[in-house]
Structures are given as structure tokens and as C-alpha cells.
Amino acid sequence: MNHHPIFSEMASAAIHAAQSDLGQNAHLVPVYATSTFTFDNARQGMDRFSGAAPGYIYSRFGNPTVTVAEELIAILEGFGMVQDNGQPLPLKAILHASGQAAMATLFLANIAAGDTVLTHYSLYGGTHEFLFDFLPKFGVKALIADLHQPESVAELLQQDRSIKMIHIESPANPSMRCVDIAAICKVAHDCGVKVSVDNTFATPYLQQPFRYGADFVFHSTTKFLNGHGTAIGGVLIGKDLPLMQKVNKTAKLLGGCANPFDTFLLIQGVKTLELRMKQHCSNAIQVAEFLHTHPAVSIVNFNGLPSHPDYELSARQMRHPGAVMSFELKDGFEAAVRFIDRLQMCLRAVSVGTLDTLVSHPASMTHSGMKKEDREKAGISDGLIRMSVGLESVGDIIRDLEQALI
Ligand SMILES: *Cc1c(COP(=O)(O)O)cnc(C)c1O
């Protein structure tokens, strides 16, 4: 399986790059439900371990179903990008059991005691807790700065040489604030600092951070990449292939490997990524415009609205603004609870990126592990509602919201 010259659009690659011939002419990639792989003789076993011969060894180290998904996602993240020699940009993806497992590999492989990770407010709740509650136990510091000011970030990196990584989530959860990835990569690379980008809300169809210089791209594949809410998963992608070999060692040791059943579901989901994202985005802008003019709503945080602080940046950096948004009701917490309880079609659930519209309450759910003062700095008030706009008929979504807002 490789970058195929016939794939001029991402939709074709998403469908056909997953048709790996694993030997039996199966139309779909089979589920390799096997923990281990046999060797023809002792020599072959030795050679696979030393890397002298290709071949699978043990499913925590690699599995054929998982490899197909990794190559598929790598192709999409690097789609249309070429190296200086005109060849497609080779990327290495490592699939994990969850986004959090991929996150653990990302940081534990790249930083050590004494290092600092620089990031911004309004991160996924689990990322914030990992950086600020978990990593400090191992002598790693996390620091928040306003990444919308690349000049002051450059100054900070000059002053504090312990900063070894910058972690960006763009668009970020649930403020939908965006960061200028190219500007941050430039100042970071001037100081030898690596940049990772959580691209979960955008997907490679809407935004390709490697185009802007990112060193690592991260996804919770649980969300839009799977798209159907059938499995948990995460992926870490890198462009420095020797470095990715080291990262892969950490991944194997941490043991958060993807299982082939969930991976099969992920592969089926990724095939319709472009089709789904187009419809998610078309529905979302209409929903955002409806909410924006509704008298019960005080603010809509959606990077596709001109009122959003990163509207222009998002228009430059992304193909469309995505399908996740948050909004506040004028009457605060009580109104939020009433609204959520009155929904008839949209589902009350955390997560994003499924076929159905999901509505949740960050302060009491996804971000309840954060301190209240940190939540407030991240723009998560007690009355804030997060919504992932699904693929239902947009008129039905809006009608449901309208009757629930009364
Ligand atoms: C869901 C999510 C994660 C964590 O991924 P899991 O698959 O739940 O472990 C990280 N970042 C973002 C932006 C997410 O939405």
C-alpha cells in the first residue's frame, strides 16, 4: 500500500488506501485476531527481532489490521505534501488503544525530568489533567501561555530553556480558539523546541498541521476519524522517522496498543471521512447561525462565525471550521440544565464526531476534573453547553434546539 498517483482527492485515498492485499483477496481488511505470529524456524525469529527480516512478531509490537489503519491515517495526514525530491512526505503513525494512550506515548517519549511543556488554556480535559496533575509527579513541568502572541512565545522560549515541547489543540475544546500553527512552529524550531498538534476536532480533511511545520500530530480516533462512535482509539503521527522508531519503543513499553477489532471499525469509518465532514460542517454553520441570533443565547463559540476571535485564522488554516461548538444561555446553569433535559432528538452524551448530534455540559462532565478557577480561565462557565453537530437533517436539529430553548 502506498501513495497512489491516481488519488488526486482525499476521498479516493481514504477509500482505496485501506484496500491492502493481505493475501486472500479479501475486499475488506480482515481482523487479525491473533496475539502472536509464528516463525518458520529459529533463524527467522531472530531476524524478525533484530529487524533483519520483515514480519510480525507479537500483536503489542504490530498487527496487520493495525498497520493498515496506521498507513491509511498517515497517508491522509500527509495527503498532497511532497518532500524536496518530489516524493510524497513519508509519515509514521502509531495507533493506540485510546487518545489518552497516544497522549502518554507522545509526552513520555519526548520529555524527561526537568523539561517543561508549554501549552494554552482550553485543552481537552484529559490532556490538561495529564500535563498538570500527572506529569509533575515525574519532574516535568507544564506551563500555560497565550499562544496567540508568537513574539512573546519566542521571548519565553529564549528565557526558559527547559521548554522542550509546545502542545497545541486547534480548534481547542470547547472554546474553539485556534492557534496559528505555522507561526508557533517557526518560533519553536528557532529554539529547537518540538511542536505537537491535537488535530482531533479538525481531522486531516479540514487541517493538515504538517503543512505548517508540526513535528507530531495527535488524534483521538474515537471522534471524527471513526465517526460512528463504535470504538475508542488514538493515533500519534510523526515525520522524523528515526525519532518515530524511538517513540514506537515507548509505545510498546507503555502497552496501550490498538486492538484489531476496534481498528477494523476505525478503517470502515475513515473511508467516509470526507463525505461526513462536508455534511457535518454544512450542518454546523447553519446551527451556529441559528443559535447566534436566538434571544436565549448569550454567546456562541464557533470559529465559523465572524464574531469568533479566530474566525480569520481558522479560515486561513482550515478548509471549513468543523462541527463542534459551545454556547452559553443567558439564564446560566439552570437554563442549561432545562435545555439539556428538553432535547428530544439530539443526544445527551459526551464525546464528539459521531453521526448523531451530541450535547454535553463541560463544567460537570468532561472538564469536572479541572479546578473551577482553571475552568473559568478556559472559558468554561457553569452555564456552557457543548455540542457536536451530527449528520441528521439540519432542519430537524434546529427544530429540536428551538423547542428545547423555550
Ligand atoms: C477525546 C479527546 C481526547 C482523548 O481521547 P480518548 O480517545 O478519549 O482517549 C484528546 N483530545 C481531544 C481533543 C479529544 O476530543
Side-chain angles (χ1 to χ4, degrees):
M1 181 171 74
N2 224 314
H3 297 254
H4 199 291
I6 211 159
F7 302 153
S8 64
E9 297 285 339
M10 208 181 264
S12 318
I15 291 168
H16 290 287
Q19 280 174 336
S20 211
D21 180 8
L22 295 178
Q24 303 290 340
N25 300 101
H27 165 219
L28 299 181
V29 175
V31 177
Y32 273 76
T34 183
S35 57
T36 196
F37 299 83
T38 57
F39 313 127
D40 292 339
N41 49 51
R43 177 91 249 157
Q44 192 186 45
M46 286 177 224
D47 288 348
R48 284 192 198 165
F49 265 92
S50 72
Y56 292 93
I57 298 171
Y58 182 64
S59 276
R60 176 158 51 81
F61 306 164
N63 172 286
T65 312
V66 173
T67 304
V68 171
E70 290 174 336
E71 292 183 0
L72 174 62
I73 292 169
I75 285 175
L76 299 185
E77 269 308 336
F79 193 80
M81 278 175 252
V82 291
Q83 300 166 277
D84 294 340
N85 63 8
Q87 292 298 307
L89 181 72
L91 297 171
K92 164 79 179 161
I94 308 171
L95 196 64
H96 288 72
S98 68
Q100 284 300 127
M103 178 77 61
T105 298
L106 168 67
F107 290 115
L108 295 176
N110 288 294
I111 46 171
D115 291 347
T116 300
V117 178
L118 182 66
T119 188
H120 54 85
Y121 266 119
S122 179
L123 290 174
Y124 178 73
T127 310
H128 185 95
E129 284 183 61
F130 191 82
L131 288 173
F132 290 87
D133 297 344
F134 181 79
L135 283 182
K137 287 192 245 179
F138 303 94
V140 173
K141 235 174 75 186
L143 195 65
I144 284 176
D146 182 2
L147 300 190
H148 299 97
Q149 310 290 337
E151 312 78 37
S152 53
V153 172
E155 259 171 54
L156 185 60
L157 298 182
Q158 293 290 352
Q159 283 162 13
D160 185 348
R161 305 304 283 196
S162 77
I163 299 171
K164 295 290 159 55
M165 271 188 83
I166 299 182
H167 182 70
I168 293 172
E169 193 177 305
S170 185
N173 178 48
S175 64
M176 305 309 287
R177 287 300 308 259
C178 300
V179 172
D180 186 335
I181 301 169
I184 292 299
C185 285
K186 187 171 179 316
V187 299
H189 294 161
D190 284 348
C191 291
V193 171
K194 297 225 179 297
V195 178
S196 53
V197 178
D198 185 334
N199 205 28
T200 300
F201 280 20
T203 81
Y205 179 65
L206 301 182
Q207 170 175 281
Q208 292 172 288
F210 289 117
R211 279 194 192 279
Y212 308 118
D215 299 285
F216 298 101
V217 172
F218 163 95
H219 286 274
S220 166
T221 62
T222 312
K223 315 294 164 56
F224 290 98
L225 285 178
N226 173 299
H228 300 70
T230 54
I232 299 281
V235 68
L236 179 59
I237 310 138
K239 64 182 180 190
D240 178 340
L241 302 184
L243 174 61
M244 286 309 282
Q245 275 195 342
K246 284 195 219 153
V247 172
N248 202 24
K249 256 192 174 167
T250 304
K252 286 186 204 172
L253 290 174
L254 290 175
C257 55
N259 80 67
F261 291 97
D262 286 355
T263 305
F264 174 82
L265 297 170
L266 171 63
I267 293 168
Q268 303 319 308
V270 170
K271 290 180 188 179
T272 55
L273 179 69
E274 177 169 334
L275 182 67
R276 287 187 286 105
M277 290 316 288
K278 282 179 173 162
Q279 194 62 40
H280 273 298
C281 292
S282 148
N283 283 0
I285 187 72
Q286 294 175 70
V287 168
E289 279 163 2
F290 161 76
L291 288 171
H292 184 64
T293 53
H294 196 284
V297 176
S298 57
I299 183 162
V300 181
N301 304 307
F302 183 57
N303 48 317
L305 290 176
S307 55
H308 189 275
D310 300 319
Y311 172 74
E312 277 157 30
L313 167 63
S314 151
R316 243 189 301 131
Q317 194 165 262
M318 301 175 71
R319 198 194 288 255
H320 300 294
V324 185
M325 64 190 69
S326 62
F327 56 97
E328 268 180 68
L329 298 183
K330 284 190 181 140
D331 294 335
F333 180 71
E334 298 303 322
V337 169
R338 199 167 56 237
F339 165 77
I340 290 172
D341 285 348
R342 283 182 60 93
L343 290 168
Q344 291 178 1
M345 181 183 78
C346 301
L347 300 177
R348 289 168 282 272
V350 295
S351 198
V352 302
T354 59
L355 303 179
D356 18 41
T357 298
L358 303 182
V359 174
S360 67
H361 183 242
S364 68
M365 298 172 187
T366 47
H367 291 69
S368 57
M370 277 168 73
K371 292 189 206 106
K372 188 175 164 74
E373 60 174 275
D374 285 336
R375 272 205 305 269
E376 279 168 1
K377 282 184 201 151
I380 301 166
S381 71
D382 287 347
L384 190 77
I385 292 161
R386 185 183 73 182
M387 180 160 56
S388 171
V389 177
L391 303 180
E392 303 95 337
S393 305
V394 67
D396 289 340
I397 301 173
I398 291 174
R399 260 191 299 282
D400 193 20
L401 301 177
E402 194 163 30
Q403 66 79 26
L405 280 169
I406 288 165

